[in-house]
Amino acid sequence: MTRPGSTTRLATYYSSHAEQYESRWASALLPASEQLLTRLPLRGASRVLDLGTGVGSLVPSITRAAPAALVVAADRAWGMVARAPRTADRVVADANRLPFGDAIFDVVVLAFMLFHVPDPVGALREVQRVLRAGGSVGLTTWGEARSAAALGVWTDELERHGAPAADSLLAQHELMDSPPKLSALLIDAGFRDPAPEVLAWSDRPTLTEFADRHASLGATGRRLALLDERRQAAFRVDVRRRLEELPSDDFTDTSDVIVATASAP
């Protein structure tokens, strides 16, 4: 059960960290999202909704794949969608209450966002409502997590320096972290012919890229921000020393990505 205000907290967090997200994480997700686009009937689409667009990283790829389409980039986080390309119509929108009429989109894309909504089936039903009959939805979610070994070092140093636990943000990965689970959500929402599959994915940041990302984003960044300046400085020195002892492969994340498509009735 999600807590009241969880979507507002999530939107506020992503809005305030939009610049860091764009520079330190968005590009790592883009290849998997672009592979999703190859599974969707975009060439002849006239209207495409990129729901949960974030900073709009996928918008240029959607535009290339659907050159005749009006592309709408929508996100609950106002600070994120403000950074999306102006070539798209940019909208602040709640996935569970979409501000669009019925049956107006040919394709809806949800890349790495469904786990961030409080009612995933309700959001998918809203997606089905705004899709024309026979329209397509495409999603990416996280599957089995295989985080970089370096993350264990980072977490260990946070503990050693006394970083408090950070408040969790809405992320219901356990509801959709396998193809059968994602298929069940789509079927419950009324979609037909769900076609999920596991996609190999990897992210290979340098030591500096890894450190910059975990110092500013996610639970690791939120925990670090709870330390005072003196302890933050000490942490940075100590964790850097330990990270420099690791081989480059220890910074690689090979978590699974699940991609899925389905059709509206």
Side-chain angles (χ1 to χ4, degrees):
M1 181 176 179
T2 58
R3 291 178 292 176
S6 58
T7 55
T8 299
R9 288 181 58 249
L10 185 73
T12 300
Y13 171 78
Y14 274 112
S15 290
S16 64
H17 289 75
E19 182 177 358
Q20 296 95 320
Y21 180 92
E22 183 172 24
S23 62
R24 294 169 181 164
W25 184 231
S27 62
L29 303 180
L30 188 58
S33 299
E34 288 179 329
Q35 288 200 48
L36 169 64
L37 297 186
T38 67
R39 293 159 168 81
L40 291 167
L42 289 164
R43 177 57 55 182
S46 59
R47 293 188 184 92
V48 178
L49 173 61
D50 183 17
L51 183 57
T53 190
V55 294
S57 303
L58 194 56
V59 166
S61 299
I62 293 173
T63 301
R64 287 192 294 271
L70 168 70
V71 179
V72 178
D75 202 285
R76 181 71 171 77
W78 54 92
M80 297 277 274
V81 75
R83 303 181 76 86
R86 294 177 181 271
T87 53
D89 284 3
R90 301 177 298 172
V91 179
V92 176
D94 184 334
N96 286 113
R97 294 186 297 276
L98 293 175
F100 309 114
D102 297 348
I104 62 172
F105 291 103
D106 301 298
V107 177
V108 178
V109 179
L110 301 90
F112 297 104
M113 65 77 65
L114 188 62
F115 42 77
H116 279 319
V117 300
D119 179 7
V121 171
L124 288 172
R125 286 174 179 154
E126 272 289 271
V127 168
Q128 186 186 132
R129 179 183 66 78
V130 303
L131 274 171
R132 64 169 176 79
S136 297
V137 63
L139 309 92
T140 56
T141 67
W142 291 110
E144 181 181 353
R146 287 185 292 273
S147 300
L151 184 58
V153 171
W154 190 278
T155 302
D156 181 61
E157 284 298 317
L158 285 173
E159 295 288 342
R160 196 170 70 83
H161 285 268
D167 287 344
S168 60
L169 295 176
L170 177 60
Q172 303 189 91
H173 297 291
E174 71 283 356
L175 298 182
M176 57 199 76
D177 59 2
S178 71
K181 289 181 181 180
L182 193 52
S183 282
L185 290 177
L186 287 162
I187 291 170
D188 285 351
F191 281 94
R192 296 176 178 173
D193 304 318
E197 62 179 297
V198 176
L199 182 71
W201 173 86
S202 66
D203 177 48
R204 303 177 184 277
T206 65
L207 186 159
T208 297
E209 289 168 341
F210 176 91
D212 287 346
R213 181 183 299 167
H214 285 281
S216 59
L217 295 170
T220 55
R222 297 198 302 278
R223 289 188 71 184
L224 181 58
L226 294 173
L227 295 176
D228 60 40
E229 290 186 7
R230 180 184 60 81
R231 288 191 293 170
Q232 283 193 36
F235 167 85
R236 291 175 186 275
V237 170
D238 290 343
V239 78
R240 181 85 187 197
R241 173 182 50 79
R242 290 186 62 185
L243 292 176
E244 287 175 346
E245 297 172 354
L246 299 179
S248 60
D249 284 351
D250 281 359
F251 296 93
T252 300
D253 184 335
T254 58
S255 298
D256 286 340
V257 170
I258 303 170
V259 297
T261 60
S263 299

